[in-house]
Amino acid sequence: MNRKVIIIGSGPAGLTAATYAARANLQPLVFEGAQPGGQLTITTDVENYPGFPNGIMGPDLMDKFREQAKRFGAECYFKHVTKVNLDSNPFKIWVGDETYTADSIIIATGATARLLGLESEKELMGHGVSACATCDGFFFKDKKVFVVGGGDSAMEEANFLTKFASDVQIIHRRAELRASKIMQDRVINNPKVNIQWNTTLKDIDGNVNDGVSAVVLRDTISGDLRTEECDGVFLAIGHTPNTELFDNFLDLDDKKYIRTDNDSTKTSVSGIFACGDVQDSIYRQAITAAGSGCMAAIDAERFLEIMESS
Ligand code: NAP
C-alpha cells in the first residue's frame, strides 16, 4: 500500500515528526533503523531536555517519544532501510526484499559519532565514556577527564568541560592541531586544559558500575605506553552523518550532511524532507532535533495538501 509519509530514523527528530504526522492523520510508517531511539540511547542521564526537571535516562526518554507517536497511530518498526529510489514520486524504499512506496519521506537518520574502535570504549559508553560534552559534562564536577581529538569539536568540548572538571587533558595524535586558530587559542589560554601531543588512546580502564578509572596512552613517536588515572573520556574525533543511502539522490554539503533550504526541512528533491543531525552539523541537540522533526512533519503535510489538490 502506498503511504502518505514514511519516516526513516527514530531519534528525537524522527519520532517527533512521527507524532506530528500522526496527529495530522498522515498515518506515518517509521523505520527505526539500526539504533532505535538514536544517539540518546547510548547516553545515561539526560538533564537538559525541557520538561524533565529531574533528568531522565536517554533510553527512557526515547521510549516516551515512541509511545507518544504510537498513541496517535504512528506505526514504528525496528527495521533498517537498505535502499531508496528518490528519482520519482511515489518514492521507493527497500527493507531487504520488502518494498514500500510513499508520496513523501522524512529523513531523520542522524549522525554517528566516530569512535576509535576499542572494546573498552564500547563497553564504557555512558559509564564514563561519552561522545558529547554538552550531554554528559555535568557529571564530571571536580574530576579529571580526557578529550580525544585535535579539531574544533575537541577544543570546544575541552573548554566546555572546564566548567565542571578540574583537570582536562586533550590527547592528540600529532604535534599540530587541526582546529581553527581562535579555538586553539581558547584552549591554550585556559589554565585547566593541558594538551598531550603525539599521543593516542590505547585502552580505557574501568567497569560499568564504577565508571572510568584510568587511560592507557601511547606515545606515537617512541611507542611507549603510560597509564594515567582519570574519571572520564570524551571522544571528539568527528561525526559522520548517516547519508550513504541518499548520496545519489539529494544535494549533500561537503561534509555529507543533507542540504536543506533556509528555515525549512525541504531538501533538493520535492517531497523529501530532512531533520535532525542528518542535516545539522552545528547544534546537534535532542531538543533542536525534535524541533526540526516537528518542522519536517508540517512541511510534509503542506506538501501533501498541495499534491492532493493539484
Ligand atoms: P575534524 O575537524 O574532522 O577533527 C577530527 C579530529 O579528530 C582531528 O584532529 C583528527 O586528527 C582526530 N582524529 C580523527 N580520527 C582519529 C583517530 N582515529 N584517532 C585519533 N584522533 C583522530 O572534526 P570536528 O572537530 O568534529 O569538526 C568537524 C567540523 O565541524 C569542522 O569543520 C569544524 O570546523 C566544525 N566545528 C566547528 C565548531 C565551531 O566553530 N564552534 C565546533 C565544532 C566543530 P588529525 O588532525 O590528525 O586528522
Side-chain angles (χ1 to χ4, degrees):
M1 184 184 74
N2 186 51
R3 309 293 294 223
K4 287 184 180 158
V5 58
I6 289 182
I7 297 168
I8 310 177
S10 58
L15 291 176
T16 301
T19 295
Y20 274 77
R23 286 174 58 82
N25 258 344
L26 300 177
Q27 289 123 358
L29 185 59
V30 183
F31 292 126
E32 296 217 14
Q35 191 177 44
Q39 292 184 75
L40 277 191
T41 58
I42 59 165
T43 65
T44 48
D45 289 276
V46 178
E47 296 195 324
N48 55 5
Y49 199 87
F52 296 91
N54 301 317
I56 181 166
M57 300 295 275
D60 294 346
L61 179 61
M62 295 324 298
D63 285 346
K64 285 184 185 295
F65 268 66
R66 185 180 299 106
E67 193 185 316
Q68 193 168 0
K70 285 171 103 170
R71 183 177 148 211
F72 300 107
E75 290 173 52
C76 302
Y77 295 106
F78 291 164
K79 289 186 173 184
H80 186 55
V81 172
T82 48
K83 194 169 106 178
V84 296
N85 186 333
L86 311 181
D87 277 338
S88 59
N89 197 326
F91 305 110
K92 281 207 184 78
I93 286 181
W94 284 263
V95 175
D97 295 337
E98 300 166 19
T99 318
Y100 299 81
T101 60
D103 294 333
S104 69
I105 296 178
I106 294 176
I107 299 171
T109 47
T112 307
R114 278 189 224 135
L115 300 179
L116 295 167
L118 305 171
E119 255 326 294
S120 51
E121 167 192 56
K122 205 160 87 187
E123 186 197 334
L124 296 170
M125 185 58 71
H127 302 276
V129 176
S130 168
C132 177
T134 325
C135 318
D136 300 324
F138 185 76
F139 304 111
F140 295 89
K141 261 191 187 141
D142 300 324
K143 307 275 187 193
K144 176 174 178 178
V145 297
F146 277 79
V147 175
V148 185
D152 281 336
S153 294
M155 303 306 112
E156 194 169 68
E157 303 242 314
N159 258 326
F160 180 79
L161 285 166
T162 60
K163 289 178 198 276
F164 314 102
S166 51
D167 182 353
V168 177
Q169 298 285 326
I170 294 176
I171 59 169
H172 183 40
R173 60 186 176 184
R174 296 186 292 141
E176 194 186 335
L177 294 170
R178 177 177 297 277
S180 53
K181 183 78 175 65
I182 185 167
M183 302 290 275
Q184 294 193 24
D185 287 348
R186 277 185 203 151
V187 156
I188 287 160
N189 294 324
N190 188 328
K192 283 188 178 175
V193 184
N194 175 52
I195 305 178
Q196 302 196 21
W197 304 101
N198 300 312
T199 300
T200 53
L201 183 63
K202 175 99 186 343
D203 209 352
I204 307 166
D205 293 340
N207 62 62
V208 291
N209 295 322
D210 306 319
V212 167
S213 56
V215 283
V216 182
L217 304 174
R218 183 175 166 276
D219 184 312
T220 56
I221 295 170
S222 65
D224 290 349
L225 298 180
R226 59 185 190 276
T227 299
E228 283 194 35
E229 286 185 3
C230 69
D231 307 287
V233 174
F234 286 82
L235 297 149
I237 58 172
H239 282 78
T240 310
N242 301 320
T243 50
E244 320 77 59
L245 287 176
F246 316 107
D247 210 350
N248 294 331
F249 300 101
L250 301 178
D251 278 358
L252 306 181
D253 71 14
D254 54 357
K255 290 179 230 142
K256 299 274 179 191
Y257 285 81
I258 297 176
R259 279 189 209 278
T260 48
D261 289 357
N262 281 346
D263 300 326
S264 156
T265 61
K266 289 179 189 167
T267 68
S268 54
V269 172
S270 177
I272 307 290
F273 305 91
C275 51
D277 287 12
V278 75
Q279 52 87 54
D280 167 23
S281 60
I282 298 169
Y283 301 104
R284 299 196 304 235
Q285 300 300 301
I287 185 68
T288 49
S292 74
C294 160
M295 289 166 64
I298 293 172
D299 287 342
E301 189 187 352
R302 291 188 181 150
F303 166 82
L304 291 165
E305 259 169 32
I306 293 168
M307 190 178 137
E308 278 158 22
S309 65
S310 59

